[in-house]
Amino acid sequence: VGKNGADALFALPKVPTVPALQCQTDSTDCLAKARQNLATYHKEATQHQKAWQKQEKAIAALLQYGHFRYLANLDAPPYGRMISERFRATYRFVDGEKEAAMQSVCTDAALGLHFINTAHSQILDGIIGASMIGRDVPLLAEMLAESPAGTRLPAACDEVKVQPAENLSVCPRMYSEWHIISEVLQKDMQEGLTKMPFTDEQYRELGVNFFPNTMLTSLFNQAEAYALQEFSRSCSAENRAAVARGELPNLAPDPNIRAKNCSPYNGLCIAAASWDYTRYQARLLNVNRYLTALDYLRHPTDTPPAGYHIENNTLTFTRYPIRRNEEGMQTVTLPLPGSRYNNPKAH
């Protein structure tokens, strides 16, 4: 629905990057780090401000498009340019451009949500969108904390709200994964067959009871069938019901499916058995956890929703693990609006 914005996404201006900030996921010290590096930002801004402004407008303009569909064999879009713009917003806030900075971060969050809601057949855009939400909400919490109590978020954040559970399912996005894998397998199989010195019929005529063409085709067909069944698991009634409840299903490869479809010595299937999409689904489910937090920060005098707690001027909640070095639910702690306003460096 709507106009395809893929060309505009790929055509985002390539400009000098904003000085990077080492802001980890869920960190709430990005503004402090920007203050420490503000002199470097000022130096770069004197040379590149106009280019950065042009990039900011191009990024905001992406919201007008209905979707962003592009060929799977293309390189990934230049998402890094959006990260650079988020760094710029962080610097702008501590440099006194508070309203413009919050507007920029809200635009980024709205665009992240737009990627999630329009990339139903592409997994990459949805995961990028989820990452944008996961970084923008803590940054907005910092900005509200350093603002007077009662400060409202810009209008660009009005639509950045909790999403229907079905919008956050990895299920429809697995189609693109299956399509890519199927194309690669078919291409590799055909290339392998063309390199065979003889056809199976020629082997028969030579009296050789060995048919490598048939064997090669069988191995690739096994892998394709295995991949299809693995990728379809996210769409099972059980797993979709779990996502609808906001619960994380286990999408780790099922050895029984591999045993059913593949020879135990099929290297293609062995390689495919390393694909675990549980963390992809976790990133998408975490979106509503962050957005629920943002909704509370809009109304910090309300009773916190279930699973969210107020302590020492902070809002605490948990999210699903998304990295290999994370085990179990991860705690996120965000400052409450106005809680850092008395900090002299906040003015």
Side-chain angles (χ1 to χ4, degrees):
V1 179
K3 188 177 179 181
N4 188 358
D7 288 345
L9 178 59
F10 277 91
L12 287 177
K14 185 177 181 180
V15 303
T17 57
V18 176
L21 293 169
Q22 297 301 316
C23 293
Q24 305 302 319
T25 300
D26 302 330
S27 64
T28 55
D29 60 353
C30 291
L31 296 180
K33 289 181 177 179
R35 285 191 179 91
Q36 294 170 1
N37 204 36
L38 195 56
T40 302
Y41 168 75
H42 283 158
K43 181 179 178 181
E44 295 294 316
T46 58
Q47 302 177 59
H48 308 307
Q49 192 69 269
K50 289 185 178 180
W52 292 345
Q53 290 170 349
K54 180 180 178 182
Q55 180 174 260
E56 179 186 13
K57 290 180 180 179
I59 291 173
L62 294 176
L63 286 167
Q64 68 182 294
Y65 295 101
H67 57 89
F68 304 90
R69 295 195 185 98
Y70 50 89
L71 296 176
N73 60 358
L74 293 177
D75 292 334
Y79 294 116
R81 294 168 198 175
M82 298 176 198
I83 297 174
S84 185
E85 178 57 30
R86 188 186 302 116
F87 289 152
R88 179 167 170 257
T90 309
Y91 286 115
R92 292 174 77 187
F93 187 89
V94 301
D95 204 27
E97 297 182 71
K98 298 181 184 293
E99 187 174 340
M102 293 177 75
Q103 172 78 18
S104 179
V105 180
C106 282
T107 297
D108 191 73
L111 186 56
L113 209 52
H114 196 48
F115 283 147
I116 292 169
N117 290 332
T118 59
H120 290 307
S121 62
Q122 295 175 189
I123 197 166
L124 178 60
D125 290 357
I127 298 306
I128 290 295
S131 297
M132 292 165 73
I133 294 294
R135 291 183 182 275
D136 289 335
V137 169
L139 182 53
L140 285 170
E142 274 199 83
M143 291 177 171
L144 286 173
E146 291 199 6
S147 301
T151 298
R152 292 177 57 86
L153 290 171
C157 265
D158 287 352
E159 300 304 317
V160 183
K161 296 180 178 180
V162 173
Q163 298 297 294
E166 58 267 25
N167 290 13
L168 303 177
S169 173
V170 80
C171 164
R173 306 167 207 277
M174 294 306 293
Y175 172 77
S176 65
E177 292 294 287
W178 156 245
H179 184 66
I180 292 169
I181 294 301
S182 179
E183 278 193 350
V184 169
L185 288 173
Q186 288 297 321
K187 179 175 177 288
D188 289 351
M189 181 179 72
Q190 292 303 320
E191 289 179 355
L193 291 172
T194 59
K195 293 178 181 178
M196 291 291 183
F198 302 104
T199 65
D200 285 356
E201 185 60 34
Q202 289 172 323
Y203 278 113
R204 289 191 186 93
E205 292 174 356
L206 292 171
V208 178
N209 190 27
F210 176 65
F211 310 113
N213 295 271
T214 300
M215 291 176 61
L216 181 70
T217 301
S218 176
L219 291 174
F220 276 92
N221 287 342
Q222 287 176 19
E224 192 170 17
Y226 170 51
L228 177 60
Q229 291 193 34
E230 272 291 2
F231 289 177
S232 299
R233 287 177 56 225
S234 62
C235 296
S236 71
E238 178 184 2
N239 287 336
R240 295 185 75 169
V243 171
R245 296 190 300 268
E247 298 172 4
L248 181 63
N250 180 11
L251 300 180
D254 185 341
N256 294 322
I257 296 178
R258 178 179 152 199
K260 178 182 176 182
N261 288 277
C262 299
S263 159
Y265 307 107
N266 187 335
L268 295 168
C269 291
I270 293 173
S274 66
W275 302 333
D276 185 350
Y277 286 88
T278 306
R279 288 186 178 86
Y280 288 91
Q281 181 61 81
R283 285 184 180 275
L284 289 165
L285 283 176
N286 283 342
V287 166
N288 267 355
R289 290 176 176 255
Y290 285 107
L291 293 180
T292 299
L294 184 64
D295 191 50
Y296 177 79
L297 295 178
R298 289 184 174 100
H299 312 285
T301 58
D302 292 354
T303 301
Y308 291 71
H309 308 284
I310 302 298
E311 185 177 354
N312 297 326
N313 276 327
T314 63
L315 174 68
T316 300
F317 62 99
T318 59
R319 63 165 174 82
Y320 290 110
I322 56 175
R323 293 179 177 81
R324 294 186 183 278
N325 63 349
E326 294 179 346
E327 294 186 11
M329 298 299 287
Q330 302 293 300
T331 299
V332 181
T333 302
L334 304 179
L336 291 179
S339 60
R340 297 178 179 176
Y341 185 62
N342 291 328
N343 175 7
K345 294 182 179 180
H347 304 290

